[in-house]
Amino acid sequence: MQKTILITGGAGFIGSHVVRLFVNKYPNYKIVNLDKLTYAGNLENLTDVANAPNYEFVKGDIIDVEFINSLFEKYKFDGVLHLAAESHVDRSISDPGAFINTNILGTVNLLNAARAIWQDNLGDKRFYHISTDEVYGSLGSEGFFTEETAYDPRSPYSASKASSDHLVRAYMHTYKLPVVLTNCSNNYGANQFPEKLIPLAINNIKNNKAIPIYGKGENIRDWLFVNDHANAIDLVFHKGKNGETYNIGGNNEWTNIDLIHKLCEIMDSKLGRKQGESAKLITFVKDRAGHDMRYAIDSSKIQKELGWKPSLQFEEGLEKTVDWYLENENWINNITSGKYAEYYDNQYNKR
Ligand code: NAD
Ligand code: TYD
C-alpha cells in the first residue's frame, strides 16, 4: 500500500539506519527524513539512498511549530517514526536547555500536528515514539527493566525523554492518538557520533590518545547492534499494538572497563599492534555527575509477541564496528576536524 512516512532525526546515528532500511525495503513508501542537522546530524550517513525515488530530505527544526504544521499539511503523513532528539547525557549535564526544547517541546509539536491531520481518520495511522531505557533510572546488581518498571530518570537527558514518553501516552489516552513506544538499551555500530563511548574509544585508540573512563569503569550497559534496533523498529512499526510499549535490549551486559579491554584487543589485532598496547591508553577520569550504575533490559515481551531477537553476538558486532570506523576515515575526519575539537576540550581537558 502507498504510504507517506515521516522519519525525524533520520540524519543521526540510529535514524540513518532506519531510513536506509525503510527506503530499501519499502519501495511503495515515500520516506520523508526531517532533520535539523545539528552537530549530530550528518547527510554523509545517507549518501547511498540520497537519490532513491522514494526518499526526500527536509531540513527543519521540530521546535518550529508553524514549520511542523505546514509540513504535516503538505505531506499528510500516514505514519511518523520520531527519533529526533538531543541524545548525549554529558551534553545534557552541561547544557540541559536544548534537551528540554527538542525532546519535550519538539515532541509535543509533532503530536499536535499529527492529531490535527489525523483527527477525522485515526484508523490506520501510527505515531511511533523511539525512546531509551534510561527513563527507568539505574539498577543495582540485580534485576532488569521491564515495561512495567516505574520511571525514575536521573539525568536531564533521561528526564526529557521520560517527559516526552509521558506526553505521547497522554495523547493516546486523551485524544485517542494511535501511538506505540519502544525503550531501547545502548546502541553501537557504524555512524555513531564519537562522543559516545565506543566510537570515542575507537577513534582515540587509533590516534594513540588516552581513553577516558569515568570513575572506576564499573558502570554497566546493555549493548545492542544498531541494525538489530532498526529491525526491531521496523517490526514494531508494522506489527506492534497501538498503545503498547516494547523494551528492546541486547541481553548483553558489560562493565565499561571490560568492554574497553575487549575493544583494545580487537584494535590491537586490526592495527597490527602488540596485544596489550592499546590498553595502555586507558585513563581513569573524574566520574560523570549522577552516573547511572547499571542498565539491563528484559526484552521478553517483544521477543514473545513480535518474534524479534538480536542477530549478532557482541564480539562480532564490535569487530564489524571497528572495521567500519577504520574503513571510513573520511567520515570520522570530517566530524572531528570541526566543532568536535572544542567539545572534546571542554568535556575532557577542562574537567
Ligand atoms: P543522534 O544524536 O545520533 O541523532 C539525533 C538526530 O536528531 C540528529 O540527526 C539531529 O540533527 C536530529 N535533531 C536534533 N534536534 C533536532 C530538532 N530540534 N529538529 C530536528 N532534528 C533534530 O541520536 P541517536 O543516538 O541516533 O538516537 C536517536 C533516538 O533514539 C533518540 O530519540 C534517542 O533518545 C533514542 N535512543 C538512542 C539510543 C542510543 O544508544 N543512541 C538508545 C535508545 C534510544
Ligand atoms: P555513553 O556512550 O555516553 O552512553 P550512556 O551514558 O547513554 O549510557 O556512555 C556509556 C558508558 O560509558 C556510561 O557508563 C558512561 C561511560 N563513558 C566513559 O566512561 N567515558 C567516556 O568518555 C564516555 C563518553 C562514556
Side-chain angles (χ1 to χ4, degrees):
M1 204 225 304
Q2 200 68 38
K3 283 188 175 180
T4 305
I5 307 291
L6 174 67
I7 300 182
T8 71
F13 167 47
I14 301 169
S16 60
H17 290 278
V18 175
V19 166
R20 177 175 302 102
L21 178 67
F22 273 61
V23 167
N24 290 332
K25 188 168 172 184
Y26 301 107
N28 52 333
Y29 290 0
K30 181 182 176 70
I31 302 298
V32 178
N33 171 14
L34 166 65
D35 199 294
K36 182 182 175 180
L37 299 181
T38 67
Y39 78 92
N42 186 350
L43 288 178
E44 278 186 47
N45 295 347
L46 289 167
T47 44
D48 55 328
V49 293
N51 296 319
N54 62 335
Y55 172 70
E56 188 176 336
F57 173 72
V58 177
K59 185 172 187 296
D61 191 336
I62 59 170
I63 297 171
D64 183 341
V65 181
E66 280 175 24
F67 162 71
I68 290 296
N69 288 342
S70 62
L71 191 79
F72 275 71
E73 268 303 319
K74 177 175 172 194
Y75 288 93
K76 303 267 189 259
F77 299 114
D78 299 293
V80 177
L81 287 92
H82 176 34
L83 293 102
E86 288 291 337
S87 69
H88 190 41
V89 173
D90 291 324
R91 288 184 194 255
S92 84
I93 294 169
S94 43
D95 183 14
F99 289 71
I100 308 310
N101 285 329
T102 288
N103 298 0
I104 306 177
L105 300 178
T107 300
V108 172
N109 291 340
L110 294 168
L111 288 166
N112 284 334
R115 199 184 146 221
I117 62 158
W118 293 346
Q119 58 188 345
D120 299 326
N121 178 19
L122 292 169
D124 56 349
K125 308 295 189 259
R126 169 144 281 183
F127 189 103
Y128 180 1
H129 181 61
I130 282 87
S131 192
T132 166
D133 60 352
E134 305 193 24
V135 299
Y136 297 121
S138 178
L139 291 165
S141 54
E142 306 263 300
F144 296 89
F145 298 134
T146 73
E147 288 80 2
E148 271 72 52
T149 302
Y151 274 32
D152 184 20
R154 287 147 179 260
S155 73
Y157 165 64
S158 54
S160 67
K161 290 296 290 188
S163 181
S164 64
D165 292 10
H166 288 318
L167 284 156
V168 170
R169 293 194 183 97
Y171 272 63
M172 174 191 70
H173 289 291
T174 309
Y175 307 114
K176 308 284 176 261
L177 201 74
V179 309
V180 66
L181 297 89
T182 49
N183 295 81
C184 187
S185 64
N186 288 61
N187 284 216
Y188 71 98
N191 305 96
Q192 187 169 30
F193 193 84
E195 62 188 352
K196 306 274 169 45
L197 180 66
I198 291 179
L200 185 140
I202 293 174
N203 192 40
N204 285 15
I205 295 168
K206 194 183 84 185
N207 295 309
N208 265 309
K209 275 178 72 176
I211 311 165
I213 304 287
Y214 298 161
K216 295 184 182 149
E218 288 168 344
N219 304 67
I220 293 172
R221 298 292 184 265
D222 171 2
W223 294 94
L224 179 69
F225 194 56
V226 64
N227 301 87
D228 281 329
H229 188 190
N231 288 333
I233 288 174
D234 177 19
L235 200 58
V236 170
F237 184 70
H238 291 99
K239 303 266 163 58
K241 283 203 202 111
N242 274 342
E244 291 290 322
T245 294
Y246 301 88
N247 280 354
I248 306 170
N251 200 13
N252 176 42
E253 293 180 50
W254 287 75
T255 62
N256 293 335
I257 191 67
D258 287 349
L259 185 161
I260 292 300
H261 275 291
K262 173 56 74 187
L263 196 56
C264 286
E265 268 173 40
I266 297 174
M267 292 290 285
D268 279 340
S269 66
K270 298 274 176 197
L271 296 171
R273 292 182 184 167
K274 218 169 72 202
Q275 278 300 324
E277 199 59 28
S278 297
K280 290 184 191 152
L281 298 167
I282 292 174
T283 309
F284 293 95
V285 300
K286 189 171 157 218
D287 208 352
R288 172 186 280 173
H291 196 172
D292 287 341
M293 191 41 146
R294 174 172 166 256
Y295 304 145
I297 279 277
D298 174 347
S299 62
S300 50
K301 177 173 171 181
I302 188 172
Q303 300 214 21
K304 274 194 208 119
E305 293 186 12
L306 303 183
W308 174 84
K309 65 173 183 333
S311 68
L312 278 190
Q313 292 296 315
F314 190 47
E315 279 82 350
E316 195 185 344
L318 260 189
E319 207 166 311
K320 275 177 180 261
T321 305
V322 168
D323 286 342
W324 187 85
Y325 280 91
L326 295 179
E327 282 159 17
N328 288 274
E329 279 210 320
N330 276 349
W331 185 92
I332 193 96
N333 290 343
N334 288 347
I335 282 176
T336 51
S337 56
K339 282 249 170 209
Y340 181 75
E342 203 180 300
Y343 165 79
Y344 199 92
D345 194 41
N346 282 328
Q347 178 64 22
Y348 295 99
N349 299 335
K350 294 189 182 150
R351 283 164 82 92

